């Protein structure tokens, strides 16, 4: 750093303003003057540089090297080269940034050093304060490490919770699917019995009508018997339709719940096999579709359910974003 400070002695601060010339640097001249005053103090107090921590000294050295480079650019500024206005604005902008960096990393510590040097009685108090600050920073670092460990544990718990939740819901859908399958089997048996009853009823109806016609009991009586039998047949047909409908509904629910179970198990397999959040999000959307989007199974129509499923998928997309 000593060599860098020596180079500043060769620069005349007043020349950096370029007052009265094209493209002057009057807007940053005050900053240049202030920084050069601090540099002069650094030149006169090498003991301050010697007691600086390595990382602080390295940061200050980088700022001073960069500042030296840009004041040299001001000295060598040529309005006839390139785009002079952009070059001037670029240099001024960097000097403003460097001033802010030096203000944070150098000026407060330098002022504290000068104050301590002027009043030796305060040195002991400053040492104690620095020791306290150092202890606080160490505690802060320990707390930060503890927080990082806690976040890792929390993330692991979230992952385990997600996997466990998926497994539990898969079992729920599996149990519901088996229940729907058993109910569907019962309705299938009832459907077969109902179909048999309808066939026997048809046989009896036509048999009684034929017997009535053969016995010549009269057209009006035969017509009454026909409509009575037709009413009974219509009632049996409605019952049969409802029984078949119940069977189809339960088979539809069985197919949907089985598909949901398989989708959740597949999702769990993907979660365990990758750490990429994009892949997990993509699989999550597909699992959401499988759960909330009741697709066609061949038993009943599910257009209304599909519409609701699409709405749920849009909500999942918004949450993910």
């Amino acid at each position: 750093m000593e060599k860098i400070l020596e180079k500043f002695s060769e620069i005349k601060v007043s020349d950096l303003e370029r007052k009265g010339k094209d493209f002057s640097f009057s807007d940053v001249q005050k900053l240049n003057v202030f920084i050069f005053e601090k540099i002069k103090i650094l030149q006169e107090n090498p003991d301050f540089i010697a007691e600086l921590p390595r990382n602080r000294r390295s940061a200050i050295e980088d700022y001073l090297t960069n500042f030296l480079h840009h004041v040299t650019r001001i000295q060598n500024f040529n309005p006839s080269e390139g785009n002079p206005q952009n070059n001037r604005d670029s240099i001024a902008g960097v000097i403003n940034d460097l001033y802010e960096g030096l203000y944070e990393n150098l000026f407060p510590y330098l002022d504290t050093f000068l104050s301590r040097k002027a009043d030796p009685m305060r040195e002991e108090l400053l040492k104690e304060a620095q020791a306290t600050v150092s202890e606080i920073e160490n505690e802060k670092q320990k707390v930060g490490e503890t927080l990082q460990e806690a976040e890792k544990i929390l993330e692991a718990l979230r992952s385990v919770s997600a996997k466990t939740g998926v497994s539990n819901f898969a079992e729920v859908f599996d149990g519901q699917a088996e229940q729907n399958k058993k109910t569907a089997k019962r309705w299938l048996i009832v459907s077969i019995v109902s179909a048999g009853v309808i066939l026997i009823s048809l046989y009896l109806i036509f048999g009684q009508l034929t017997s009535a016609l053969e016995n010549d009991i009269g057209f009006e009586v035969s017509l009454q018997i026909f409509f009575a039998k037709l009413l009974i047949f219509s009632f049996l047909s409605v019952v049969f339709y409802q029984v078949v409908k119940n069977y189809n509904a339960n088979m539809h629910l069985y197919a949907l719940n089985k598909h949901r179970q398989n989708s959740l198990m597949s999702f769990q397999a993907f979660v365990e096999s990758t750490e990429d959040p994009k892949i997990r999000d993509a699989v999550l959307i597909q699992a959401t579709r499988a759960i909330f989007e009741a697709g066609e199974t061949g038993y009943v129509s599910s257009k209304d359910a599909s519409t609701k499923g699409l709405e749920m998928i849009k909500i999942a997309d918004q949450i993910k974003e």
Side-chain angles (χ1 to χ4, degrees):
M1 186 182 292
E2 290 78 7
K3 293 181 180 180
I4 297 173
L5 294 175
E6 289 177 4
K7 292 181 180 180
F8 282 105
S9 302
E10 303 171 1
I11 299 173
K12 190 175 181 180
V13 185
S14 58
D15 293 340
L16 299 178
E17 187 176 4
R18 288 179 56 86
K19 192 173 183 180
K21 299 180 181 180
D22 293 336
F23 304 101
S24 69
F25 290 84
S26 300
D27 55 330
V28 294
Q29 181 62 14
K30 290 184 179 180
L31 303 183
N32 289 334
V33 171
F34 189 81
I35 294 174
F36 267 86
E37 289 176 354
K38 298 298 182 180
I39 290 173
K40 185 176 180 181
I41 296 174
L42 283 176
Q43 292 171 339
E44 295 171 353
N45 295 275
D47 49 337
F48 168 75
I49 299 173
E51 71 178 27
L52 283 173
R54 184 180 301 176
N55 58 343
R56 183 72 62 184
R57 179 174 180 176
S58 176
I60 294 172
E61 188 172 353
D62 290 339
Y63 279 114
L64 291 176
T65 302
N66 204 356
F67 180 68
L68 177 63
H69 171 70
H70 284 83
V71 295
T72 304
R73 288 182 64 191
I74 295 176
Q75 286 183 313
N76 300 329
F77 188 80
N78 187 353
S80 62
E81 293 181 355
N83 189 328
Q85 186 63 49
N86 287 345
N87 293 338
R88 194 218 76 85
D89 293 343
S90 174
I91 295 172
V94 173
I95 288 177
N96 273 291
D97 293 339
L98 291 173
Y99 174 79
E100 292 180 3
L102 289 169
Y103 192 90
E104 293 178 0
N105 291 273
L106 172 61
F107 298 161
Y109 303 98
L110 186 58
D111 292 341
T112 302
F113 171 79
L114 294 175
S115 177
R116 185 183 63 194
K117 190 174 182 180
D119 187 3
M121 296 179 63
R122 298 173 57 191
E123 184 174 356
E124 192 65 29
L125 292 175
L126 288 174
K127 287 183 179 178
E128 293 179 1
Q130 289 174 353
T132 303
V133 170
S134 179
E135 290 179 2
I136 292 174
E137 290 181 350
N138 291 334
E139 291 297 326
K140 184 179 179 181
Q141 183 177 0
K142 291 179 181 178
V143 171
E145 292 175 354
T146 303
L147 287 175
Q148 290 180 355
E149 293 178 359
E151 287 178 358
K152 291 179 180 178
I153 294 172
L154 181 59
E155 184 63 27
L157 289 174
R158 285 174 179 168
S159 178
V160 171
S161 177
K163 295 175 183 177
T164 305
V166 168
S167 178
N168 289 340
F169 280 113
E171 292 178 1
V172 170
F173 285 126
D174 181 46
Q176 189 63 44
E178 292 301 321
Q179 182 178 349
N180 292 133
K181 188 176 182 180
K182 291 178 181 178
T183 305
K185 287 181 178 179
R186 296 191 189 102
W187 283 113
L188 179 61
I189 295 171
V190 175
S191 299
I192 295 171
V193 173
S194 299
V197 171
I198 289 175
L199 291 175
I200 294 171
S201 299
L202 282 174
Y203 175 77
L204 294 175
I205 288 171
F206 283 108
Q208 289 177 357
L209 284 174
T210 303
S211 176
L213 291 174
E214 288 176 353
N215 293 330
D216 194 19
I217 61 175
F219 176 76
E220 292 182 358
V221 176
S222 300
L223 192 61
Q224 290 177 2
I225 295 173
F226 174 76
F227 280 114
K229 301 299 183 180
L230 184 62
L231 182 62
I232 296 172
F233 176 74
S234 299
F235 173 75
L236 292 175
S237 298
V238 171
V239 172
F240 179 73
Y241 170 78
Q242 189 62 43
V243 169
V244 173
K245 185 177 179 182
N246 290 343
Y247 167 75
N248 287 334
N250 280 277
M251 286 303 296
H252 175 73
L253 292 174
Y254 165 73
L256 285 181
N257 287 320
K258 203 66 180 175
H259 179 59
R260 289 165 179 166
Q261 178 203 2
N262 294 334
S263 298
L264 286 176
M265 297 306 294
S266 300
F267 172 72
Q268 184 174 0
F270 273 102
V271 168
E272 293 174 352
S273 64
T274 181
E275 297 296 331
D276 190 345
K278 292 183 179 179
I279 295 178
R280 288 186 175 184
D281 290 341
V283 177
L284 176 60
I285 293 298
Q286 296 303 321
T288 305
R289 279 198 174 93
I291 294 171
F292 293 104
E293 197 174 88
E296 299 290 343
T297 60
Y299 292 100
V300 296
S301 175
S302 56
K303 292 182 179 179
D304 294 337
S306 297
T307 302
K308 294 180 181 179
L310 290 174
E311 293 175 358
M312 292 301 300
I313 292 165
K314 290 179 181 178
I315 294 172
D317 284 330
Q318 292 175 357
I319 294 173
K320 179 172 68 65
E321 291 174 359

